Amino acid sequence: MLTRFVKNYLLRHQHPLNQVLHLVGVPLTFLATAVLLWEGHVIWGCGTFVAGYALQFAGHAVEGNDAGEVIVLKRALGFPYVDIVPRPVSVKERKNEGRY
């Protein structure tokens, strides 16, 4: 189950900018928010939660796919969604795989 999650995560987060935005956004969303709320800073905690999610959604916009929460909502409503955007394979990668 964890292996499947990691493989799916890596496929959905291939663009370097998306990776950076998630690297900042995920801890901001969960860790910073939890610490600030624990310390009683409700407004700052809510702000970090929103900012962290905004960074992650921006990353998916750059990637060209829908965020996981959006996919769940669209799937439930029967709307089409973009799960994984195929990444072009470079000439170097094709040579390494024997496809060139």
Side-chain angles (χ1 to χ4, degrees):
M1 186 168 158
L2 182 60
T3 304
R4 183 175 162 208
F5 171 81
V6 171
K7 284 181 182 179
N8 186 26
Y9 186 89
L10 293 174
L11 282 173
R12 294 180 36 72
H13 303 85
Q14 296 180 45
H15 194 284
L17 182 56
N18 187 13
Q19 293 170 354
V20 169
L21 291 172
H22 275 72
L23 186 67
V24 174
V26 170
L28 191 62
T29 301
F30 300 107
L31 184 60
T33 299
V35 169
L36 287 167
L37 291 175
W38 180 264
E39 293 179 352
H41 303 290
V42 175
I43 297 205
W44 282 103
C46 291
T48 58
F49 184 82
V50 170
Y53 254 104
L55 290 173
Q56 293 174 68
F57 273 84
H60 283 285
V62 168
E63 186 82 37
N65 59 9
D66 291 319
E69 297 81 359
V70 174
I71 289 174
V72 169
L73 182 61
K74 285 183 173 183
R75 191 181 292 165
L77 296 173
F79 295 144
Y81 58 88
V82 179
D83 189 22
I84 297 170
V85 177
R87 181 177 62 92
V89 178
S90 70
V91 173
K92 183 178 179 182
E93 288 172 319
R94 280 184 281 202
K95 284 182 181 178
N96 290 340
E97 295 175 2
R99 297 193 296 168
Y100 189 74

